[in-house]
Amino acid sequence: MAKRPFIIDCDTGTDDAIAIMAAFGCREITVRAVTSVNGNVKEEYTSRNNLNIVHYLGLETEVMRGAQIPFYPRGNYYDTTHGATGLGNVVLPDAPKEKFSKEIASEAIWRIANEEDGELELLVIGPMTNIAIAISNHPGLVGKIKHIWAMAGSVVGGNCSTTAEFNIWADPVSAKLVFAAGIPITMIGLDVTEKAVLNRADAEEIRSFGNRAGILTANILDYMLNRYKVGGEDAMMHDALALAAAVKPECLVCRDYFVDVECGGQYTAGHTMVDVRGRLGKQPNASVALELDLAAFKSWLKECIRQCGTV
Ligand code: RIB
Ligand code: CA
């Protein structure tokens, strides 16, 4: 069976890094490109992290740089969740900068979508700025993307404010455009990703695989677990769960709803409005993940990390 072509658009980030490694251990897909966006940390770091991970693990794919500022002025919002440069306290050897593709993310998305002739899927695990730029510059992209699998939003609550999840909060204007574009989209939000938590035993099991991806994943998990010990976020596999939605759908229960993004409001900017009661009478435009089978997800993720770079 032909491998499904993907682009991973990410703001790498500790959990993004684990999702990237899982993707290269997924036998169902081929990663055509890894594109960076501003998000967890500045794009100069997210792009460098992507290049270094790909180079360090000897992964075959293109790495493109992307958007450096969102379409919603958020100023200097960066915090220490992912460390100063995005991979916590994990340091990778710097890959030669010449290894970056000369193409920017949004143009690469357009080019590869045409090359894949309607089969391209996007794993969007950061703010949606690159996707919005690609659609804005090439409206025909809408008919060429088979599916967007987005770690995005939430039905209830937020991790950036009382109502907003970070990827949406960081660029709600881009997210609003993407959700309204008409591309089939699955929204994997905090309702399930905050339950996708790994523990120390999981980290040590993954380290025992002994491959570079396993050791790197375990080191990133150590950072995340130590962060949690001092009051930070737990080792939530937000982004890897979005990949699981695409290739291991039995990990999740999803339902179709109409979703829109609030771009204003003291308490609501960045909120994903999910019309769970159908009050608006609008056709659903997204599949929304509601329930997680944690054991199935963990087992799948570990196997992907174990296989990273070999499938
Ligand atoms: O809210 C979680 C999301 O924000 C994840 O994608 C994480 O990497 C951060 O980008
Ligand atoms: Ca991310």
Side-chain angles (χ1 to χ4, degrees), residues 11 15-16 40 125-126 167 239:
D11 61 335
D15 62 319
D16 304 70
N40 288 316
I125 51 178
N167 287 339
D239 295 339

Side-chain angles (χ1 to χ4, degrees), residues 96-134:
K97 292 226 179 337
E98 301 72 49
K99 295 280 188 185
F100 278 121
S101 163
K102 298 275 182 293
E103 203 175 19
I104 61 167
S106 54
E107 288 305 303
I109 292 167
W110 173 240
R111 170 179 59 86
I112 296 170
N114 282 285
E115 289 173 0
E116 294 295 349
D117 196 24
E119 289 305 308
L120 181 63
E121 298 175 68
L122 304 182
L123 180 65
V124 180
I125 51 178
M128 297 183 173
T129 316
N130 288 330
I131 317 308
I133 293 170

Side-chain angles (χ1 to χ4, degrees), residues 147-203:
H147 205 100
I148 292 175
W149 305 92
M151 192 281 131
S154 60
V155 178
V156 177
N159 61 357
C160 235
S161 71
T162 54
T163 60
E165 177 278 321
F166 174 78
N167 287 339
I168 306 292
W169 176 90
D171 192 350
V173 173
S174 291
K176 188 175 184 71
L177 184 152
V178 173
F179 272 97
I183 299 171
I185 185 168
T186 297
M187 173 182 133
I188 300 95
L190 298 177
D191 317 278
V192 288
T193 69
E194 288 188 333
K195 296 171 185 165
V197 176
L198 298 191
N199 57 38
R200 286 231 182 264
D202 296 317

Side-chain angles (χ1 to χ4, degrees), residues 13-15 79-83 86 88 200 220-238:
T14 51
D15 62 319
D79 68 15
T80 59
T81 300
H82 297 263
R200 286 231 182 264
I220 291 172
L221 287 172
D222 282 349
Y223 169 81
M224 298 170 95
L225 291 162
N226 291 334
R227 174 183 72 188
Y228 181 57
K229 260 176 44 181
V230 295
E233 184 174 290
D234 204 345
M236 298 172 182
M237 299 294 102
H238 299 286

